[in-house]
Amino acid sequence: MTQAKSPFNVVFVLFDNVTQLDFTGPAQFLCRMPGAKVHVAAASLDPVMTDVGFGIMPTVTFEDCPQADLLCLPGGLGVAPALSDDALIAFVRAQASAAQWVTSVCTGAFILGRAGLLQGRRATTHWGYTNLLPMVGALHEDARTVFDGNVVTAGGVTSGIDFALTIIAHLHGEDVARSLQLNFEYDPAPPFAGGTPVTSPPHIVQAMQTRFYDARSAEMEAALVATA
């Protein structure tokens, strides 16, 4: 266990069409971590539109953001176009150079990869995109949260909450993490077995792949090739 300084700056980087739960899930837990101060960074202070149609207000711009102790990149439908945003990638690269922890949730891993931060690392992302991780030099590991040195990647969407609790336990001990888990009554009991390709019925997996992830994966691949 390591001790975090106070304040411990947690910086989330937002872009248009971000998946709000990739951000708000871990943010809700990390903001209660002892000594933590959460910053929401974007290119400007204008609302950042999420992929469910409402906006989130940034608290800082890239120019005036403090140095992150923990940097986090959420994912979402906006990741593919964000890969060609040179200002965003430069900000991520600069912040990561001095951050204690460099992290992502879901397809935010590809922004880390685009910034050169996953080369030779074990990592994970949403199941629909794991085959693309080698394009950013990463080796896929099948887990909800993957630690490789100071780089931590989480799987799809809700994995961000597990990632946050794991980081909190690492920094402050299991009792603190368990207290926050109790505080937010995080006791998942989904109405259906599933949530991963292994635990879901094959016809459901195939339907989701055909209806959504084949096209989205191809879009991500094209964006990675274009920005390589």
Side-chain angles (χ1 to χ4, degrees):
M1 183 176 75
T2 60
Q3 293 298 318
K5 70 176 184 178
S6 182
F8 184 85
N9 289 320
V10 178
V11 175
F12 287 91
V13 184
L14 297 193
F15 45 86
D16 281 336
N17 254 347
V18 67
T19 292
Q20 63 85 20
L21 189 55
D22 286 7
F23 156 58
T24 56
Q28 187 66 67
F29 284 79
L30 291 172
C31 77
R32 301 290 180 88
M33 182 171 67
K37 181 173 177 57
V38 171
H39 306 272
V40 183
S44 76
L45 294 179
D46 294 334
V48 176
M49 294 307 296
T50 68
D51 62 6
V52 293
F54 61 78
I56 293 174
M57 295 297 296
T59 60
V60 291
T61 66
F62 294 159
E63 287 74 21
D64 60 15
C65 184
Q67 174 57 51
D69 294 295
L70 186 151
L71 179 70
C72 186
L73 273 299
L77 299 178
V79 167
L83 295 175
S84 61
D85 184 336
D86 291 338
L88 183 148
I89 299 302
F91 173 77
V92 169
R93 190 179 290 122
Q95 284 280 333
S97 68
Q100 181 180 342
W101 297 98
V102 177
T103 73
S104 66
V105 178
C106 198
T107 53
F110 293 104
I111 296 178
L112 294 186
R114 168 77 169 83
L117 302 169
L118 292 187
Q119 195 66 40
R121 302 274 191 175
R122 292 174 291 106
T124 192
T125 188
H126 188 285
W127 65 265
Y129 304 86
T130 55
N131 64 304
L132 300 180
L133 284 171
M135 294 185 68
V136 292
L139 175 65
H140 175 233
E141 182 171 312
D142 187 15
R144 297 244 323 155
T145 303
V146 175
F147 279 69
D148 190 325
N150 74 326
V151 175
V152 187
T153 51
V157 194
T158 59
S159 300
I161 294 175
D162 296 355
F163 141 72
L165 285 168
T166 304
I167 282 283
I168 292 166
H170 188 87
L171 289 172
H172 295 282
E174 190 172 302
D175 281 356
V176 173
R178 283 180 174 272
S179 295
L180 289 173
Q181 183 174 356
L182 175 61
N183 180 67
F184 292 115
E185 202 170 347
Y186 180 55
D187 182 27
F192 311 106
T196 73
V198 173
T199 57
S200 299
H203 73 281
I204 297 292
V205 177
Q206 185 58 55
M208 286 299 297
Q209 194 81 54
T210 301
R211 189 179 349 151
F212 189 81
Y213 288 108
D214 283 344
R216 293 302 180 189
S217 180
E219 178 186 24
M220 187 76 77
E221 183 174 8
L224 288 168
V225 169
T227 55

